[in-house]
Amino acid sequence: MKIVSIVVCGVGGQGILTASDIVAKIALRGGYDVKKSEVHGMSQRGGSVISAIRYGDKVYSPLVTEGMADYILSFEKLEALRNLPRLKNHGVVISNDYKVNPASVLSGELEYPEDIEERIINAGVELELIPGIELAHKTGNIKTVNTILLGALAKRLSFQKENWIRAIYERVPKETHNSNKKAFELGYNFKGED
Amino acid sequence: MKEIMMGNEAVARGAWEGGLHVATAYPGTPSSEILESLSHYPEIYSEWCTNEKVALEVATGVSFAGGRALVAMKHVGLNVAADPLFSLSYIGATGGIVIVTCDDPSMHSSQNEQDNRHYAISAKIPLLEPSDSEEARIFTKLALKMSEDFDTPVLLRLTTRISHTRSVVNLGEREAVPVKGYKKDFKKRVILPVNARKLHSKVEERTKKLKEFANNFEWNRIEEESSKVGIVTDSISYQYVKEVFPEASVLKLSMPWPFPDKLVRRFASSVDRLLCIEENDPFIESQIRQLSIPVVGKDKVPMVLELNPTRVAKSFGKEFGYPVSVDIKDLPPRPPALCPGCPHTGFFYIASKLKLIVTGDIGCYTLGALPPLNAIDTCVEMGASIGNAYGIQLALTKLGDENLKKKVVAVIGDSTFFHSGITGLINTYYNHGFGTVVILDNYSTAMTGHQGHPGVGKTLMGTPGRKVELTSLIKGIGIQNVYTVNAYDLDKIKEALKREIERDDLSVVIIRSPCALIEDFEKKPYYHVDENKCTSCSLCLKLGCPAISMGDNYAIIDKYLCTGCSLCSQVCPFEAIVQKEEK
Ligand SMILES: Cc1ncc(C[n+]2csc(CCOP(=O)(O)OP(=O)(O)O)c2C)c(N)n1
């Protein structure tokens, strides 16, 4: 099988490593060779965070650089655009429709780009924007945004839904299993509003 | 059984399988998870030491008594531990001893990108380099055995991309290895010149034997493809080479020192053109050149920053991947920042207002050097702040600039103070230095993941340790002026600093409160901005708190990020920032 490469990105503290762990585990259980790179340390203090998962028959590079990713799953819009060069020219961006201002924007020194969607679409790739927070409210648990995004990714990959739910259950507190299942379904079935 | 493991976890697993008895370390990214993982294996005793030198000394003692030991550290940690390392090379190993160095090409969390493969040459000890987690497990086990077989410490080198990449590992069983016990051996363990001279000859003999071993080592492997191009590579670069040049023949060096000369010659003669692809320094390349074999390496492959598939391909003008065309150069960067509610913020805010010359140190608080605080003037290495401040004062004394001299303040974290700050403080005291040393005590080694240290009193194994009390420790040196201030009381911090910098004596101000990311931190009701009172003066933004931003007409506090630390309300001159009542 050809290698599938997924970049998971966002801002330190958003739970990127947990989400990418879940994807890696599912790929391993799917019988594939898997590698997952991640960043620790300095960048976890509110900086840009990126993790990459690659799976297939035999994976060499754990890093996903220019033109290598089939999917970008971003928890924040600016980070989706920042990582766009990693995407293949026929790849897909799935991004949470959510803004986190970097310090330089908070202080008024620089501006948060307003044309992120346009720029992603103009690059000729598919963009799926997910209203993560809005959907999370529907589950009654605001902390399920990441599960919603995983649901949106799952729809495009070949693994069974049950395997996703099982892997998610292993990583979230028991009392949130129901809301996480709901969240996963919401992401999986999300259609956009056109 | 198969499991997906981080390189660091795989080192721990391999050590466990290899019958390890004791593991020691001082934390440092990207190495910290090695000890954290080891602490979950009940057969192994693991501990955080005050610094890397002590960690290696403890491990050396374990080896003296015939136990198997592992020491882990980040690359710069080996500079701290270099003194015992060089002696240990002569002394050798009774129980197997493995030193794990985790280098950080690209400096994701470090002050330099030194290439610790050079330590293998200068300390004359064998070097093993895994290229994924499975090899990390196998090589750690091998290293423990190799150490005993060849009577040498072994250097196991990972890089950030090996340490922090998760990949598939096959789990093995633990080998039962008994502790051999202690036997006095004057000629081996007392490196007086009379013994050391003989030991050095033994080391040179050992290197010859190890070279033969490396020439025949099964993990120094030729992967034969086309004979047009042959690539010599190691560590993570191997993975990029396989990704980008699947058609090339490859010599993967898992043990690049002592250098397997015969193997390299054989490989070189089997290909038309020889390339060497490695990160940072031309470590392998220089040794190929010493054999007078023509090779293309650092004239094409960058020396600075880590490699990746794109960089490897570009070095040789090869097309790779299916890139989109997009320009992202104008995007606002997102550098790390002090967290909302961080107990370090208040001091930096005041230091910046008082226009102090602040010699900094290494930890989360180094972020106080960034805008908008801009409060740190220097950052060299762990423990440097106190000596640096004293040195600046010595020069200013020569110059006769007494006013500026008073403004020099050293700032250091609690973990860093125990690591190597205390020796600097004793030096200043002993030599009649004066000035103010600020210790930011957040009960944690925060930067590297909140490990314990002597001031916290919690051990790695989870048992209560003995706590070293900072104030009495410093008073014990003989320093009279030691004051503790609450990290969230801006007036008190200012008052203490103004008073102490004027004092004609050495003083220490401990600014204290738990890190906002640990259990002991008490989150309070959030603050919000009274829209009628806010004048958009932006003073609150000077704290650099990620929870505060400027809206169109007034400042805005993100209630989900706010920890209720109150610093912004203390800074606001219009009393526009008020705490939400608890309902
Ligand atoms: C010689 C050396 N060892 C380890 C490290 C990794 N490291 C960076 S900062 C730090 C400690 C930070 O703890 P502390 O001084 O308490 O400051 P905090 O991060 O808690 O603010 C460590 C261990 C290093 N940079 N250099």
Side-chain angles (χ1 to χ4, degrees):
Chain A
M1 192 196 102
K2 79 169 186 60
I3 307 292
V4 176
S5 303
I6 303 164
V7 165
V8 183
C9 57
V11 178
Q14 280 192 306
I16 289 143
L17 299 189
T18 307
S20 60
D21 267 353
I22 291 172
V23 181
K25 188 141 232 184
I26 289 164
L28 178 73
R29 285 180 182 162
Y32 294 114
D33 186 26
V34 190
K35 282 189 180 163
K36 183 195 145 194
S37 62
E38 47 192 53
V39 275
H40 295 218
M42 203 84 176
S43 44
Q44 284 178 309
R45 301 276 172 273
S48 300
V49 169
I50 159 171
S51 171
I53 305 111
R54 306 188 75 210
Y55 63 88
D57 291 336
K58 170 78 191 151
V59 179
Y60 289 107
S61 168
L63 286 186
V64 174
T65 47
E66 269 171 56
M68 286 177 76
D70 299 283
Y71 304 96
I72 289 179
L73 181 69
S74 184
F75 292 18
E76 200 272 351
K77 279 200 311 190
L78 174 58
E79 296 310 309
L81 179 57
R82 198 190 305 285
N83 283 293
L84 198 59
R86 298 180 196 269
L87 197 65
K88 287 181 184 164
N89 51 25
H90 48 275
V92 178
V93 178
I94 303 166
S95 178
N96 190 10
D97 191 358
Y98 180 63
K99 267 168 72 165
V100 179
N101 285 321
S104 53
V105 172
L106 290 180
S107 66
E109 202 183 319
L110 293 173
E111 283 189 11
Y112 193 97
E114 290 304 326
D115 58 350
I116 292 179
E117 283 114 291
E118 251 171 272
R119 284 164 75 169
I120 295 178
I121 290 163
N122 286 345
V125 301
E126 185 186 338
L127 169 66
E128 180 172 1
L129 265 190
I130 310 276
I133 301 217
E134 198 185 306
L135 294 178
H137 275 296
K138 289 193 192 168
T139 71
N141 177 2
I142 181 76
K143 290 187 176 159
T144 56
V145 177
N146 296 3
T147 307
I148 292 167
L149 291 167
L150 284 176
L153 175 71
K155 167 178 69 187
R156 301 186 180 254
L157 304 182
S158 59
F159 307 108
Q160 304 257 311
K161 242 193 203 178
E162 298 74 64
N163 289 346
W164 282 94
I165 307 255
R166 192 175 123 215
I168 291 167
Y169 281 1
E170 286 166 9
R171 287 304 290 262
V172 299
K174 193 137 198 256
E175 60 280 10
T176 69
H177 281 188
N178 276 338
S179 56
N180 272 290
K181 180 150 195 285
K182 229 190 236 173
F184 182 82
E185 294 288 350
L186 280 173
Y188 197 92
N189 297 317
F190 182 73
K191 290 251 167 33
E193 62 228 78
D194 49 1
Chain B
M1 211 180 76
K2 279 186 180 182
E3 208 172 290
I4 186 161
M5 274 188 177
M6 212 191 279
N8 284 346
E9 292 167 345
V11 167
R13 178 74 195 193
W16 176 80
E17 291 177 10
L20 187 77
H21 300 116
V22 176
T24 58
Y26 180 73
T29 316
S31 71
S32 310
E33 299 84 2
I34 296 175
L35 266 267
E36 283 162 0
S37 310
L38 277 166
S39 70
H40 298 302
Y41 294 98
E43 298 90 341
I44 298 167
Y45 171 76
S46 310
E47 71 176 29
W48 293 127
C49 297
T50 33
N51 65 32
E52 293 86 350
K53 177 173 160 353
V54 174
L56 182 50
E57 288 155 353
V58 174
T60 299
V62 172
S63 170
F64 282 164
R68 289 193 164 183
L70 179 144
V71 198
M73 57 198 72
K74 69 180 289 165
H75 59 343
V76 291
L78 198 49
N79 302 335
V80 178
D83 203 5
L85 176 71
F86 281 71
S87 294
L88 188 59
S89 169
Y90 280 27
I91 289 169
T94 304
I97 181 163
V98 177
I99 295 132
V100 189
T101 169
C102 297
D103 294 8
D104 191 16
S106 271
M107 302 165 272
H108 298 280
S109 298
S110 305
Q111 68 264 41
N112 74 28
E113 55 182 349
Q114 75 184 45
D115 187 333
N116 275 6
R117 293 177 297 174
H118 297 296
Y119 268 115
I121 297 188
S122 47
K124 301 173 191 279
I125 56 174
L127 169 66
L128 291 177
E129 290 191 277
S131 69
D132 61 20
S133 298
E134 175 68 347
E135 287 185 357
R137 178 187 71 85
I138 295 170
F139 292 5
T140 307
K141 215 155 122 173
L142 263 173
L144 284 167
K145 186 161 180 309
M146 180 189 283
S147 169
E148 290 180 9
D149 290 351
F150 288 90
D151 195 5
T152 177
V154 176
L155 186 62
L156 181 75
R157 175 184 179 257
L158 281 66
T159 63
T160 299
R161 297 303 178 184
I162 307 293
S163 285
H164 288 168
T165 291
R166 291 177 192 272
S167 63
V168 183
V169 168
N170 294 297
L171 304 184
E173 292 303 315
R174 178 167 165 94
E175 220 179 289
V177 182
V179 176
K180 292 175 189 158
Y182 185 78
K183 269 219 313 268
K184 182 168 169 152
D185 191 342
F186 165 76
K187 288 186 180 150
K188 184 174 174 63
R189 300 206 188 105
V190 182
I191 54 167
L192 282 166
V194 56
N195 291 335
R197 288 181 192 122
K198 293 191 191 102
L199 289 170
H200 186 186
S201 302
K202 270 179 73 182
V203 166
E204 298 306 329
E205 283 308 310
R206 179 178 78 198
T207 300
K208 278 187 203 146
K209 282 189 205 139
L210 281 162
K211 203 176 192 66
E212 264 328 286
F213 179 88
N215 271 313
N216 299 301
F217 185 43
E218 59 175 320
W219 292 94
N220 281 342
R221 181 175 70 216
I222 294 175
E223 297 177 5
E224 210 175 292
E225 296 289 339
S226 151
S227 63
K228 284 212 180 74
V229 179
I231 305 175
V232 187
T233 185
D234 68 342
S235 189
I236 193 68
S237 310
Y238 164 78
Q239 307 291 357
Y240 305 145
V241 164
K242 293 297 280 185
E243 188 79 38
V244 177
F245 298 109
E247 69 289 351
S249 291
V250 171
L251 170 56
K252 176 193 189 295
L253 292 184
S254 300
M255 180 177 175
W257 205 87
F259 194 63
D261 52 349
K262 289 179 195 152
L263 179 65
V264 172
R265 274 191 205 284
R266 192 166 84 222
F267 180 67
S269 65
S270 73
V271 294
D272 300 341
R273 185 165 173 245
L274 191 69
L275 312 182
C276 181
I277 300 181
E278 59 189 322
E279 275 180 330
N280 291 148
D281 297 351
F283 178 84
I284 295 173
E285 184 187 337
S286 329
Q287 297 182 80
I288 298 176
R289 287 186 193 283
Q290 279 176 31
L291 301 175
S292 304
I293 298 170
V295 59
V296 176
K298 289 295 157 183
D299 28 3
K300 299 246 188 230
V301 183
M303 188 112 70
V304 181
L305 302 186
E306 68 176 347
L307 298 181
N308 60 45
T310 305
R311 290 189 99 199
V312 167
K314 280 192 177 155
S315 303
F316 296 93
K318 181 170 171 160
E319 300 265 324
F320 184 77
Y322 308 91
V324 291
S325 100
V326 60
D327 184 10
I328 53 157
K329 284 195 200 73
D330 62 323
L331 299 188
R334 199 188 290 281
L338 292 175
C339 302
C342 176
H344 298 335
T345 302
F347 163 73
F348 289 121
Y349 178 80
I350 298 295
S352 165
K353 286 206 98 165
L354 296 178
K355 302 204 164 47
L356 301 177
I357 296 176
V358 178
T359 56
D361 225 297
I362 301 205
C364 283
Y365 51 94
T366 315
L367 296 169
L370 301 179
L373 293 161
N374 302 311
I376 291 183
D377 288 62
T378 66
C379 167
V380 184
E381 66 2 292
M382 280 190 81
S385 58
I386 301 176
N388 291 163
Y390 173 55
I392 293 177
Q393 288 171 328
L394 288 178
L396 293 177
T397 306
K398 286 265 177 220
L399 185 69
D401 193 340
E402 292 298 321
N403 268 337
L404 198 57
K405 190 172 140 187
K406 283 184 178 154
K407 298 227 153 191
V408 184
V409 169
V411 66
I412 186 166
D414 48 347
S415 187
T416 305
F417 180 74
F418 286 108
H419 175 279
S420 48
I422 187 162
T423 42
L425 186 64
I426 292 172
N427 179 67
T428 308
Y429 174 78
Y430 159 59
N431 288 301
H432 288 282
F434 70 96
T436 308
V437 172
V438 172
I439 301 178
L440 298 178
D441 184 5
N442 61 356
Y443 305 129
S444 183
T445 314
M447 180 87 267
T448 49
H450 303 101
Q451 295 84 2
H453 62 67
V456 176
K458 249 185 265 161
T459 71
L460 174 59
M461 303 291 279
T463 52
R466 283 194 286 210
K467 188 175 151 136
V468 179
E469 215 290 300
L470 267 181
T471 305
S472 32
L473 175 70
I474 296 163
K475 289 212 160 147
I477 294 172
I479 299 169
Q480 301 299 323
N481 315 300
V482 187
Y483 305 95
T484 302
V485 186
N486 177 340
Y488 298 109
D489 192 335
L490 290 180
D491 287 341
K492 287 268 163 58
I493 295 175
K494 191 167 169 183
E495 183 194 307
L497 284 175
K498 279 177 113 169
R499 183 187 68 229
E500 295 311 313
I501 60 176
E502 287 302 326
R503 196 190 288 279
D504 222 1
D505 196 1
L506 178 59
S507 52
V508 174
V509 178
I510 301 168
I511 298 184
R512 184 170 274 166
S513 195
C515 168
L517 299 180
I518 63 176
E519 266 177 27
D520 302 348
F521 179 76
E522 194 191 331
K523 200 170 164 169
K524 302 203 178 95
Y526 64 87
Y527 280 76
H528 69 109
V529 176
D530 182 335
E531 300 159 19
N532 300 319
K533 287 190 182 164
C534 177
T535 65
S536 312
C537 73
S538 293
L539 262 182
C540 53
L541 294 181
K542 294 266 187 292
L543 289 165
C545 173
I548 311 174
S549 60
M550 191 47 72
D552 290 337
N553 300 309
Y554 48 88
I556 299 165
I557 296 175
D558 183 327
K559 65 176 178 184
Y560 295 111
L561 292 179
C562 178
T563 64
C565 82
S566 86
L567 286 180
C568 54
S569 77
Q570 295 176 49
V571 163
C572 179
F574 305 103
E575 293 176 359
I577 302 181
V578 283
Q579 196 163 26
K580 201 80 184 168
E581 292 299 320
E582 227 160 342
K583 289 205 189 92

